Amino acid sequence: MRLRGSERRPLDVSLDGQPVDAMEGDTVLAALLAGGHLLSPDAAPRARAGFCLIGACQDCWIEDSTGRRFRACVTPAADGM
């Protein structure tokens, strides 16, 4: 799920105020999983690592600090997220 390559620059991304190991080219989900974080969808009985990973299901919807909702599996990570 994470692109290989040491030439990619790190990104400034956080989850609940804690830094996340995000790199340029990662999706938000790849960055979260690389840092050991799982998703907790509303309908899921427990946290997990995503479901379809192509943006077709409703499993990886998350919300940013502005209240904007997006699918973590297909949204590129960006500085300041």
Side-chain angles (χ1 to χ4, degrees):
M1 183 150 21
R2 184 172 232 183
L3 295 173
R4 294 179 190 229
S6 59
E7 307 81 41
R8 297 182 313 125
R9 76 178 175 88
L11 299 174
D12 178 26
V13 176
S14 64
L15 175 67
D16 297 331
Q18 298 300 311
V20 173
D21 179 27
M23 298 183 77
E24 192 171 53
D26 284 349
T27 62
V28 172
L29 182 59
L32 292 174
L33 293 176
H37 304 284
L38 297 176
L39 299 173
S40 298
D42 295 335
R46 62 182 174 231
R48 54 188 181 201
F51 185 71
C52 77
L53 306 179
I54 60 170
C57 72
Q58 302 298 312
D59 213 48
C60 70
W61 282 102
I62 62 173
E63 189 173 296
D64 68 13
S65 60
T66 69
R68 181 179 70 101
R69 288 177 43 90
F70 58 91
R71 287 186 169 112
C73 72
V74 294
T75 302
D79 274 329
M81 286 185 122

